[in-house]
Amino acid sequence: MSGRRIVVIGSGAAGMSAASEAKRADPEAAVTVITEDSDIAYSPCAIPWVFEGRTTWDALVMHDAAFYGKERGIEVVTETSVSAVDGEKRSVTAGDREYAYDALVIATGSTVFVPPIEGKDLENVYTIKTVRDGKRLEQALKDARHVVIGGAGVIGLEAAVALRNAGKEVTVIEMMDQAIPRIADPDMAAMVQEHLESAGIRFVMKAPIQKVNGTGKAESVTAAGTDYPADVVIFATGVRADLRIPRMLELDIGQLNAVVTAPNMQVYRRGRLVPGVFAAGDVVQCQSSVVSGPTMSQLGSTAVKQGLVAGRCAAGKPASFGATASPWVCSLEGIEIGGTGMSAGLASWYGMTPVSGKTTGLTRARYYPGGTPMTVKLLADPASHRIVGAQIVAGEDVTGRINWLTSVINEGVTAEDFAVRAENAYCPPTNMVRDTVLAAADDLLKNIEG
Ligand SMILES: Cc1cc2nc3c(=O)[nH]c(=O)nc-3n(C[C@H](O)[C@H](O)[C@H](O)COP(=O)(O)OP(=O)(O)OC[C@H]3O[C@@H](n4cnc5c(N)ncnc54)[C@H](O)[C@@H]3O)c2cc1C
C-alpha cells in the first residue's frame, strides 16, 4: 500500500471523477468519498428528460456505493454531511466518524439560488438539482395542471419543454428581457423563445417574481404585479458555489464568489497554496481561455475535467486544468442552441464590445430532405480580431460545430486566419457544401473590415 489517504467531499461529476482518477493514478491509495446525496454517479443533466418519460431514474444512476466498493476499491459514504474539517490535523468529521487524509478534494458543487421572497417555502415549491429533488417533484406533478418556472436559463427551458410534453400548462417567468441570459445573445435566444412559444409555452419577460401565494400550498405566483396560477412552482434561478467546507478551511474565495485554484486545482489560503488540498467543479472559479480573467463554468463537462485533474494531483501525479471556453449546448424539442467562449453580454462584463458576424444557412444540402435552418453567430475582439465567442441555433447538429469552434477559440485564431484556414467535410445529408460556420466567418471578416 502507498498508504496515501485521499478523501473526496461530494459525489457529483467532479467528486466521482476525482475519486476514480485518484485510484487509477495510485491504486494503493485508500480513497473515500463522503456525500450528502443518497444517489451517486448520476448526471443531473438528465433529470428533465425523466419528467417526459424519455429515460428513467434507474437509468440515470450509473453505479451505486456497493459497486464502487467492490469494483473500484473506493469507499463511498452516502447521506452523510461533512460537518467539520481540521486543516491542521488533516481530518474531516462526517456523521460520528473522523477521516484522516493526506490529500483532500473539495467537490461540494453548488446549490440553487432561490430569491428571498414571500412564499418560497410553501409546499409545492421546488428546485431541480438532485435525483431526490426530481422524485419529489415528480410526485407533485401528478395532480398539477399549471406549472410556473422561475428562470428562463437552460435548466428552466429544459424543464419547461419536458413538462409541456408531459401535458402541463407551463409559464416561464424571467426577470431579464431575454431567455438564456448571460451566455446567449438576445437575438439568438429570441429564436429559441419564439420556437418554444409556438410549442405552447408561455413566457413572461422582464418580470421578477415578487411572491408565491397560497395557504400551505402554492396556488399562484405574482410577477410584475400580475398573478399566474401555479399548482407547482419550480425555481431554476441559477446556482451558487456551495462554500460551507471552503469557509471552514478559510480558503481564498475569488471575486466570482467561488474557490480560487491554481491550474492543478490546488486551493489557496491567504494567497498561499494549501498543501494537499484541491477543489473542482461548480464550487470553483477558473481561468477563462478567452480573456485574462476568471470565469464560472458550472457545467458537468468542466466538472469532470477538473475532477480528473484534482484526483490525479491528489494522488501525487502531475496534471493541469488550464483554462476553459465553457462550451454548452441545449436541446429543446426541435431546436438546439449552443455557445462557446463569450457572449456579447459576458464580453461587456470584461470591458469588451465584440464585433460580430452572423449567417443563416441549412443543416443539410438545400435539396436533401429533413434539413432545418441553422444560424451561426461569431464574435471577435475588435482590437486583435481574435475569435472570442460563437453561438449556434439550429434544428440539429449544433454540438459538433460548437466543439470545433471551441478549439478555434482556445487556439487564439483570428477571424482572418479562420477565413483562410478553416475547412469542412461535406455530404448532402449532413451539411451544405460550404458550411454555415464558414459563411458566418465571411460575414465577421466583412464587419471587421468595416
Ligand atoms: C437539471 C440540471 C441540468 C443540467 N444540465 C447540464 C447539461 O446539459 N450540461 C452540462 O454540462 N451541465 C449541466 N448541468 C450542470 C452540471 O450538472 C453541474 O455543473 C455538475 O453536476 C457539477 O458537478 P459538481 O460535482 O461540481 O457538483 P454537484 O453535482 O453539485 O455535487 C456536489 C456534491 O457535494 C455534496 N456535498 C456538498 N456539501 C457537502 C457536505 N458538507 N458534506 C458532504 N457532501 C456534500 C453534495 O451532496 C453533492 O454530492 C445541469 C445541472 C442541473 C441541475
Side-chain angles (χ1 to χ4, degrees):
M1 289 286 274
S2 71
R4 188 188 297 268
R5 295 156 303 177
I6 300 171
V7 171
V8 177
I9 310 176
S11 63
M16 294 316 292
S17 303
S20 296
E21 185 60 22
K23 192 71 187 172
R24 245 191 311 267
D26 180 358
E28 310 228 303
V31 180
T32 304
V33 177
I34 306 169
T35 180
E36 288 174 345
D37 218 339
S38 45
D39 305 282
I40 59 164
Y42 64 86
S43 170
C45 315
I47 294 172
W49 315 109
V50 180
F51 296 134
E52 61 176 289
R54 284 191 199 238
T55 185
T56 62
W57 299 119
D58 285 346
L60 242 66
V61 179
M62 206 160 39
H63 301 304
D64 60 11
F67 171 90
Y68 275 95
K70 199 158 152 249
E71 302 295 326
R72 303 250 169 107
I74 296 172
E75 182 190 14
V76 183
V77 183
T78 59
E79 297 185 80
T80 304
S81 187
V82 170
S83 52
V85 188
D86 187 330
E88 289 295 310
K89 220 170 113 192
R90 293 191 165 209
S91 75
V92 308
T93 307
D96 53 11
R97 260 179 81 183
E98 206 174 289
Y99 300 80
Y101 65 81
D102 300 299
L104 177 69
V105 178
I106 301 167
T108 50
S110 55
T111 52
V112 180
F113 168 77
V114 177
I117 52 170
E118 194 181 327
K120 71 176 178 54
D121 295 320
L122 286 172
E123 209 184 304
N124 280 15
V125 178
Y126 295 89
T127 57
I128 312 176
K129 185 78 174 80
T130 62
V131 163
R132 213 166 13 191
D133 294 338
K135 285 181 176 170
R136 277 199 293 254
L137 176 56
E138 187 181 42
Q139 282 305 315
L141 285 167
K142 281 195 175 136
D143 304 319
R145 179 161 165 240
H146 295 282
V147 179
V148 166
I149 297 175
V154 165
I155 292 172
L157 297 188
E158 284 179 353
V161 166
L163 297 181
R164 179 69 204 153
N165 286 347
K168 310 298 176 194
E169 296 292 327
V170 180
T171 302
V172 177
I173 302 181
E174 168 60 52
M175 64 184 266
M176 307 296 280
D177 58 1
Q178 69 160 97
I180 322 181
R182 197 175 73 84
I183 55 173
D185 288 359
D187 53 337
M188 303 299 276
M191 285 186 270
V192 173
Q193 185 180 333
E194 223 169 86
H195 178 87
L196 298 185
E197 280 171 339
S198 69
I201 295 169
R202 174 159 62 157
F203 282 80
V204 182
M205 306 304 283
K206 282 207 276 192
I209 293 181
Q210 295 158 305
K211 205 174 149 197
V212 181
N213 311 293
T215 322
K217 270 176 110 169
E219 287 159 20
S220 68
V221 166
T222 307
T226 304
D227 285 353
Y228 300 91
D231 304 311
V232 163
V233 180
I234 301 170
F235 279 102
T237 27
V239 296
R240 302 282 186 270
D242 186 335
L243 296 176
R244 286 173 294 166
I245 301 291
R247 288 205 198 285
M248 282 178 202
L249 281 167
E250 298 180 54
L251 302 184
D252 288 358
I253 306 300
Q255 61 275 64
L256 301 179
N257 214 22
V259 175
V260 180
T261 59
N264 68 347
M265 308 314 297
Q266 196 171 350
V267 300
Y268 294 90
R269 184 185 301 117
R270 290 184 278 286
R272 286 176 185 237
L273 286 168
V274 183
V277 183
F278 304 85
D282 281 7
V283 73
V284 305
Q285 62 180 49
C286 50
Q287 177 58 48
S288 161
S289 63
V290 189
V291 287
S292 51
T295 188
M296 293 302 288
S297 195
Q298 296 190 316
L299 291 165
S301 41
T302 307
V304 168
K305 207 169 164 218
Q306 291 176 340
L308 294 174
V309 171
R312 197 169 158 73
C313 293
K317 299 280 176 4
S320 178
F321 173 71
T324 180
S326 297
W328 58 275
V329 67
C330 173
S331 175
L332 297 161
E333 189 67 30
I335 198 162
E336 297 177 3
I337 179 168
T340 180
M342 287 196 286
S343 63
L346 266 179
S348 75
W349 191 83
Y350 292 99
M352 184 196 293
T353 307
V355 54
S356 67
K358 184 168 128 182
T359 303
T360 299
L362 294 169
T363 58
R364 305 181 190 187
R366 176 185 42 79
Y367 46 82
Y368 197 90
T372 75
M374 166 176 281
T375 300
V376 178
K377 184 174 185 180
L378 300 177
L379 304 176
D381 174 0
S384 65
H385 298 183
R386 188 184 158 196
I387 296 175
V388 294
Q391 290 158 55
I392 304 179
V393 175
E396 58 185 0
D397 295 340
V398 168
T399 305
R401 287 177 173 88
I402 287 296
N403 290 344
W404 171 20
L405 288 161
T406 299
S407 293
V408 168
I409 289 171
N410 285 340
E411 290 300 315
V413 176
T414 63
E416 287 86 348
D417 272 353
F418 189 66
V420 172
R421 286 166 44 197
E423 303 178 86
N424 64 264
Y426 160 70
C427 78
T430 68
N431 57 348
M432 296 167 76
V433 66
R434 186 165 166 73
D435 196 276
T436 310
V437 168
L438 299 195
D442 293 342
D443 193 51
L444 177 65
L445 208 50
K446 195 177 80 203
N447 293 339
I448 284 176
E449 286 163 355

